[in-house]
Amino acid sequence: MPRPIQAFVHTDALRHNLTRMRTATPDARMWAVVKANAYGHGLERVFEGLRAADGFALLDLDEAQRVRSLGWRGPVLLLEGVFEARDLELCSRLDLWHTVHCDEQIDMLSRHKTQVPHRIFLKMNSGMNRLGFTPTRFRSAWTRLNQLPQVDEISLITHFSDADGTKGIAAQMAVFTETTQDLPGERSTCNSAGLLRHGSDASVAADWVRPGIALYGSAPDFPERNIAQWNLQPTMSLRSRIIATQDLQAGDTVGYGSAFKAEAPMRIGVVACGYADGYPRHCPTGTPVLVQGVRTRTLGRVSMDMLAVDLSPCDATGGYGSEVTLWGKASAACGSAVLPIDEVAQAAGTVGYELMCAVSARVGFTQD
Ligand SMILES: *Cc1c(COP(=O)(O)O)cnc(C)c1O
């Protein structure tokens, strides 16, 4: 029998979250962002749950090929565009729409031989200073692109740095709107945070929106809001089992570095899950975890293959073989209790995105 750790991808929850995100801007078309192997879920495993999207947005050409192999004939957008000239051949062959964010990409396009002109998303750097043309250079980039026979329609795209925080999107939105006001073409602005927090603002309305993280059941602005408040459901559950128990006396310690010390007699469970599975080593004592759907806490340091949990709240239900939910949803047999990935991420000093993407190759996945 394999080690009992397993990750589950919940198709119903993906479907629910997609529908939920549509309500934020009902008139916009929606890219489901599936970069990084669908935020660690596996492209092939999320496809069914997200196929009601209007398109798939991603970064790797290999992933674009996989989406086409799944039979998807609709739009596919490369969010960083091409990395070298020959990538454009694949764009032509697979009908990939691609972002253009720098002069070098325009140069490559101008030398590309194609029968079919490409659909381009021209990216503006409206303040994030990652990718895109600054407002002063944006129009000349547009003009140059517009003259190329390799180019069909040009859409306009920008990305917000602070949609989840207090700074907000107003300044970037103003720059984008002003610079593009007399340019034709469809617009694309919001990620998950932009959509959830600012989507009801008519001035933010765009032709295309680009949610990622919210589709996967993580709140982009946690802890200000959680998934229950946003009406989102976990799409990934990481579950394992208790493979040993120990009865501690006052003064006994647990794990490497004796980082946890019992104050009184207590029973603990040892879980087949460690940092080599992608569970963050930085989670301290007290990180929430579910045993048979009952909320309890981790104890001491996370080791490579194991971690310890407090069985005090679990009475007789928690013991050898008990189901442990590290994040996501407990099984139906354990009441389907939810432990949002955001709570575990917060304990580790990171975000849900990183945990989803980091589940390691030795963990088997099941789609349900
Ligand atoms: C990753 C990404 C998104 C999705 O962001 P979320 O915060 O996951 O919703 C949208 N747009 C671009 C350009 C991205 O790179």
Side-chain angles (χ1 to χ4, degrees):
M1 189 175 148
R3 273 173 86 236
I5 188 162
Q6 248 196 313
F8 296 83
V9 172
H10 308 302
T11 304
D12 285 354
L14 288 161
R15 226 176 257 134
H16 167 91
N17 294 344
L18 186 80
T19 307
R20 157 67 184 97
M21 293 308 280
R22 283 217 188 266
T23 65
T25 48
D27 297 331
R29 272 165 295 159
M30 184 173 286
W31 300 105
V33 179
V34 293
K35 62 190 179 189
N37 200 22
Y39 290 53
H41 289 61
L43 255 176
E44 289 75 11
R45 284 185 285 264
V46 302
F47 182 67
E48 191 53 42
L50 297 180
R51 70 182 307 157
D54 299 293
F56 289 93
L58 40 73
L59 307 177
D60 288 292
L61 276 93
D62 156 68
E63 292 182 345
Q65 262 172 315
R66 283 160 62 194
V67 170
R68 287 289 183 235
S69 302
L70 286 163
W72 177 256
R73 290 159 179 271
V76 173
L77 174 65
L78 298 175
L79 288 166
E80 292 180 348
V82 297
F83 304 99
E84 55 178 338
R86 64 177 184 167
D87 295 347
L88 290 167
E89 290 161 24
L90 204 65
C91 292
S92 296
R93 184 146 47 87
L94 298 179
D95 187 18
L96 308 179
W97 300 3
H98 51 105
T99 298
V100 166
H101 64 77
C102 62
D103 290 312
E104 291 80 356
Q105 289 178 329
I106 304 183
D107 297 341
M108 289 185 235
L109 251 177
S110 71
R111 292 191 293 264
H112 178 53
K113 293 188 178 46
T114 179
Q115 312 289 324
V116 206
H118 290 195
R119 171 79 176 259
I120 302 299
F121 278 66
L122 181 62
K123 183 136 185 178
M124 185 188 299
N125 170 11
S126 57
M128 190 171 196
N129 287 310
R130 241 172 27 173
L131 301 182
F133 294 92
T134 56
T136 49
R137 304 220 31 247
F138 190 77
R139 301 188 66 94
S140 59
W142 187 90
T143 306
R144 203 181 150 207
L145 266 182
N146 195 44
Q147 288 161 351
L148 295 182
Q150 291 89 343
V151 172
D152 177 24
E153 218 178 304
I154 305 173
S155 303
L156 314 175
I157 183 169
T158 197
H159 195 52
F160 299 133
S161 59
D162 287 78
D164 56 335
T166 48
K167 186 174 167 192
I169 64 168
Q172 283 187 268
M173 202 57 220
V175 166
F176 184 65
T177 309
E178 195 187 305
T179 313
T180 61
Q181 58 182 327
D182 54 350
L183 289 178
E186 296 186 336
R187 268 73 170 157
S188 177
T189 53
C190 289
N191 60 357
S192 299
L195 253 177
L196 287 169
R197 294 171 66 95
H198 307 283
S200 59
D201 178 346
S203 69
V204 176
D207 302 291
W208 288 92
V209 293
R210 313 187 302 269
I213 194 69
L215 299 176
Y216 304 101
S218 167
D221 53 356
F222 185 84
E224 191 181 330
R225 299 282 191 98
N226 61 37
I227 53 169
Q229 287 164 313
W230 285 128
N231 183 19
L232 297 167
Q233 297 174 3
T235 59
M236 178 196 284
S237 298
L238 184 64
R239 295 185 202 139
S240 188
R241 296 201 173 273
I242 289 179
I243 57 169
T245 60
Q246 303 291 342
D247 291 299
L248 304 186
Q249 302 306 312
D252 285 350
T253 62
V254 176
Y256 287 118
S258 300
F260 175 78
K261 189 175 189 177
E263 310 247 292
M266 66 187 293
R267 205 159 63 95
I268 68 164
V270 176
V271 183
C273 173
Y275 61 78
D277 299 301
Y279 190 89
R281 185 177 171 278
H282 291 108
C283 283
T285 292
T287 302
V289 58
L290 307 177
V291 175
Q292 299 283 96
V294 176
R295 198 178 163 104
T296 178
R297 56 177 184 144
T298 65
L299 301 173
R301 275 195 208 152
V302 174
S303 18
M304 184 184 280
D305 312 304
M306 284 175 267
L307 58 82
V309 296
D310 186 356
L311 292 179
S312 316
C314 306
D315 55 51
T317 61
Y320 182 83
S322 288
E323 175 187 290
V324 177
T325 303
L326 287 316
W327 62 68
K329 203 171 61 167
S331 68
C334 294
S336 305
V338 169
L339 172 57
I341 195 168
D342 297 323
E343 293 188 36
V344 182
Q346 185 185 39
T350 184
V351 287
Y353 299 72
E354 191 179 2
L355 267 52
M356 296 176 182
C357 293
V359 175
S360 72
R362 77 177 188 185
V363 177
F365 271 83
T366 304
Q367 191 184 337
D368 71 8

